[in-house]
Amino acid sequence: MAPDGLIGHLNYWAIALLFLLGLYGMTVLNNLVKKLMSMNIMQVSIIMFYLNLAQKAGGTFPVLLPGELHPEAAAYVNPLPHALMLTAIVVSLATTGVALALLMRIYRRYGTLEENDILRRMAGR
Amino acid sequence: MRAAGLVLLVLVGALFFYSSAELPPTGDPGSPPATHVSPRYIEAAYKETGTINLVTAVLADYRGYDTLGETVVIFTAGIAAILILAGLAERREEP
Amino acid sequence: MRRPFGSVVLDAAVRVLVPALMLYAVYVLAHGHYSPGGGFQAGAVLAVAMVLVPLVQGPRSKWGLGRRAAVILAGLGTLVFPGLGLLALLWGGNVLDYGALPFGLEGAAGRALATMLVETGVALAVMGVFVIFFELFETGEI
């Protein structure tokens, strides 16, 4: 039985809180590494949102049970969001790697990763 | 800056909590994501692709374009990181 | 890593871990049809096997991929996917229509084999990019 009403939406609220945590970090924090970590938290919340949409009450994980040649759609959770989020995880790896490389470059140039100091140095140059 | 961030946070949070009422409850078997294309994947994947793991079937076969682009994306990320950091190591070696 | 942070314990543990990791990576890759697993996960595990020894023993260790080899492997792995997809054109299929490839198998089994090849390419690409990142961030350390 799928829960309905408030209980059925608690997951969405928790995921929204996680997203807002990441958004807060990206907008308010001053350190660029912390901003990057906040971006990763946002990505994780999006991934959890999609996986939450994939759930079906009474469904098992999307690998066919042995000997099941004519599976019913209701018996397995939705495999599509899992595949898409597998892609998203690897893309988040790629963005994180490139962002770290850029941060190393920025640190080399300005000697700091605090946004205020970087902006001040850019203006003073 | 901090105040503006908090205002933005509250606005986005209110939007989320308002719109989450329209989302299907967790685990609803009749929700839109569970009814349109995924039954086809579940029912026909073994017959059509010979793969028991439905995620692998969707990832590599039905949605091959997605995974193709995604592999290119990570390769591009590796090359981009090399190009961004090119010369950084050599410059540090200087006395 | 400019200097290794290994000790006798870490060194011995790595010697035991790395072969097991490589075997596990191949298992995850080959069993991706039947259980959770597949190219991305296998590539990540394989990359750990490649990176662990240089991490513990320092830059003078004989194990591990160089940056050049990592780039070449990543490029080859990336090429496997569009390569197979375009090969299908030659035998009259659509792009990425593995059923058209002449494996001499029944339709579904041929598609499963092509999926396996594609996953191998993806694993190589992911491993290569992981190793590239490791190499970059260790030599260009802040």
Side-chain angles (χ1 to χ4, degrees), chain A residues 21-67:
Chain A
L21 188 68
L23 192 65
Y24 174 81
M26 282 193 77
T27 48
V28 171
L29 291 181
N30 198 29
N31 190 310
L32 291 179
V33 176
K34 290 180 184 169
K35 275 182 192 278
L36 181 60
M37 289 161 74
S38 307
M39 192 183 81
N40 274 325
I41 291 174
M42 275 172 76
Q43 283 171 337
V44 167
S45 79
I46 298 293
I47 287 167
M48 287 172 71
F49 174 70
Y50 270 78
L51 294 187
N52 194 38
L53 281 182
Q55 291 305 314
K56 274 184 213 166
T60 182
F61 63 104
V63 178
L64 295 183
L65 297 175

Side-chain angles (χ1 to χ4, degrees), chain C:
Chain C
M1 292 297 123
R2 293 274 111 186
R3 53 200 169 76
F5 62 92
S7 61
V8 177
V9 178
L10 272 182
D11 199 57
V14 159
R15 279 162 203 267
V16 178
L17 265 179
V18 166
L21 273 175
M22 297 188 72
L23 188 64
Y24 186 62
V26 174
Y27 164 76
V28 168
L29 177 61
H31 218 252
H33 283 282
Y34 305 104
S35 64
F40 301 110
Q41 296 90 328
V45 178
L46 212 55
V48 171
M50 290 297 157
V51 158
L52 212 51
V53 176
L55 201 61
V56 169
Q57 294 183 347
R60 252 170 290 170
S61 69
K62 295 277 191 276
W63 182 257
L65 290 170
R67 192 181 304 176
R68 182 177 298 268
V71 173
I72 290 173
L73 275 181
L76 283 181
T78 311
L79 277 182
V80 167
F81 212 137
L84 267 181
L86 291 179
L87 267 186
L89 283 179
L90 290 185
W91 279 275
N94 295 321
V95 179
L96 292 175
D97 181 10
Y98 310 134
L101 291 172
F103 289 123
L105 296 167
E106 294 288 316
R111 294 186 82 95
L113 180 60
T115 306
M116 176 79 212
L117 290 177
V118 159
E119 296 268 3
T120 311
V122 168
L124 279 182
V126 171
M127 181 199 71
V129 172
F130 261 96
V131 174
I132 288 171
F133 281 151
F134 172 75
E135 291 271 328
L136 283 175
F137 295 153
E138 78 161 356
T139 53
E141 69 184 354
I142 303 178

